Amino acid sequence: MLEAILLVGGQGTRLRPLTISTPKPMLPVAGYACTDHQIALAKKAGVGRIVMGTSYRAEVFEEHFGHGEKVGVELVYAVEDEPLGTGGAIRNAAAHLTCGPNDPVVVFNGDVLTGLDIAGLVQKWRDADADVALYLTRVEDPRAYGLVPTDANGRVLEFLEKPTTLEEIVTDQINAGCYIFKRSVIDSIPSDRPVSVERETFPELLAADRMVIGVVDDGYWLDLGTPLAFAKGSADLVRGIAPSPLLTGRTGESLIEPTAKVDSSASITGGTYIGHNAIVGAGAVIDRSVIFADVEVGSGTKITNSIVSTAAKISSDCTIVDTVIAERAQINAGANLEPGTLVFPDESVN
Ligand code: GDD
Ligand code: MG
């Protein structure tokens, strides 16, 4: 049985204030936590057991998923009292693995939306007799990611995490946040301190001439780490542009939970998601947005490219563009929110 480690312990700083109470991987994208989409993808590839590497708000995961009874994959938790970094988290989670030293372990960043063929990546790891296989994708501007140049045979030449100089921008291939590790490689990561897999483990493996391969896949990929990306990821899922085993047969211009009450004169477009028990008034126009459960949107209000968290109340005739509204916030009638506005939990805005 294939085992995996899911890294879900980051603070989600760039998604504040949404992540004050909810860790990033648990925020709903098209109605499911990113973690739900990832578990479904892993299950499809034959993963039967996942160790969740948690730290920030660790309890939220266990409350939601338990031991995986509902998702059909066995889940266990490796909780870090102090965040151990990505490499430290992988090492810490390894204590809960049951596989042997030469077996493959799938490792996933918790905020990545993808349809990656995980089983295919494991096969490439096997074929190359690799220590680590990295899933790579190509992006226009690689600066915010780990750059991973490879040679003609796919062997990784360097790992340059978030380069700061122009000379370091040597490729458009980036680390897409999913790896296949040989178990024994994980066991050699130091266990007594924080370690970054990107800044320390990968460069050390390369310096020691270990077999690290990169597999470029040009299928759908998105890091959900910023509000803009989060709204795009949700809309892409709703419209069927991003794949997820959880949404098969339910994609379209919008995804509205059956318990939501949306006035028939409201316009809901662009892959907007409307959560459980939300209420949307007459003539409201909601485009490319994510509306969490229990939200109220007044009549005539226009919301574009925004995220509205649980139980926020937006009165009538407001204009809201590129905005993040945290839980239970209140937006008063006629408000016009500038793009980039962040509204905090329980805040009231005119
Ligand atoms: N358990 C645990 N402990 N998890 C952590 C910790 C920690 O101390 N720090 C980060 N994580 C988790 C986060 O929750 C997230 O799921 C994942 O590790 C990656 O962290 P991010 O904060 O999202 O990193 P990033 O997006 O800036 O960069 C990473 O992902 C890019 C692709 O999306 C790097 O791996 C880059 O190389 C990569 O290109
Ligand atoms: Mg990220």
Side-chain angles (χ1 to χ4, degrees):
M1 174 194 51
L2 193 53
E3 290 183 302
I5 296 171
L6 202 49
L7 298 175
V8 290
Q11 298 230 353
T13 315
R14 289 164 296 175
L15 275 176
R16 273 174 68 86
L18 295 174
T19 46
I20 293 174
S21 61
T22 308
K24 168 169 65 176
M26 289 302 293
L27 292 170
V29 245
Y32 294 91
C34 185
T35 304
D36 276 306
H37 294 290
Q38 292 186 327
I39 292 173
L41 187 74
K43 188 179 166 187
K44 219 176 81 177
V47 171
R49 191 155 180 281
I50 300 179
V51 185
M52 309 277 280
T54 62
S55 172
Y56 179 69
R57 299 231 164 255
E59 70 289 353
V60 178
F61 294 93
E62 210 162 341
E63 277 161 20
H64 182 80
F65 289 108
H67 295 291
E69 298 84 355
K70 286 208 187 95
V71 290
V73 175
E74 185 189 350
L75 299 182
V76 289
Y77 298 86
V79 185
E80 300 147 47
D81 297 330
E82 293 295 325
L84 289 171
T86 46
I90 296 169
R91 176 70 179 84
N92 189 56
H96 300 265
L97 295 171
T98 61
C99 62
N102 292 322
D103 288 333
V105 178
V106 182
V107 177
F108 238 105
N109 282 353
D111 61 343
V112 161
L113 196 56
T114 173
L116 174 70
D117 170 14
I118 298 174
L121 187 62
V122 175
Q123 192 53 50
K124 295 212 163 82
W125 171 88
R126 261 188 229 289
D127 293 344
D129 196 17
D131 290 299
V132 186
L134 307 181
Y135 162 33
L136 310 180
T137 188
R138 274 186 271 259
V139 293
E140 234 162 73
D141 181 358
R143 285 173 300 175
Y145 306 101
L147 272 61
V148 189
T150 49
D151 71 11
N153 300 318
R155 191 147 178 187
V156 173
L157 298 168
E158 270 183 295
F159 195 109
L160 303 156
E161 181 68 10
K162 305 197 176 100
T164 49
T165 63
L166 275 178
E167 296 80 70
E168 287 177 296
I169 305 181
V170 293
T171 179
D172 61 353
Q173 287 176 192
I174 61 146
N175 167 27
C178 177
Y179 327 114
I180 311 300
F181 270 85
K182 187 183 284 184
R183 160 83 195 258
S184 58
V185 175
I186 297 180
D187 290 332
S188 68
I189 298 172
S191 60
D192 51 349
R193 59 175 173 84
V195 177
S196 160
V197 78
E198 298 89 349
R199 294 181 194 276
E200 192 175 335
T201 312
F202 293 141
E204 279 178 11
L205 289 170
L206 294 170
D209 220 19
R210 300 290 289 268
M211 180 56 93
V212 181
I213 63 162
V215 178
V216 181
D217 181 304
D218 286 320
Y220 187 92
W221 178 87
L222 189 67
D223 175 309
L224 298 171
T226 64
L228 264 177
F230 186 86
K232 178 177 169 17
S234 181
D236 284 351
L237 278 167
V238 169
R239 295 169 71 203
I241 295 168
S244 168
L246 300 176
L247 293 171
T248 313
R250 293 166 60 203
T251 56
E253 264 305 279
S254 63
L255 179 59
I256 301 173
E257 296 293 356
T259 52
K261 290 194 182 68
V262 177
D263 191 275
S264 58
S265 64
S267 153
I268 316 290
T269 56
T272 291
Y273 168 78
I274 311 253
H276 290 285
N277 302 310
I279 299 172
V280 178
V285 177
I286 310 183
D287 188 37
R288 284 174 285 146
S289 294
V290 192
I291 311 294
F292 290 18
D294 302 317
V295 166
E296 287 178 34
V297 177
S299 56
T301 280
K302 288 192 170 62
I303 303 178
T304 309
N305 214 25
S306 295
I307 305 166
V308 185
S309 186
T310 314
K313 288 194 169 49
I314 304 174
S315 300
S316 51
D317 302 314
C318 296
T319 303
I320 289 162
V321 182
D322 292 352
T323 287
V324 175
I325 298 174
E327 57 260 46
R328 301 175 307 275
Q330 193 162 329
I331 313 297
N332 297 316
N336 189 344
L337 301 189
E338 297 267 308
T341 301
L342 302 178
V343 182
F344 278 73
D346 301 297
E347 197 184 342
S348 169
V349 176
N350 288 309

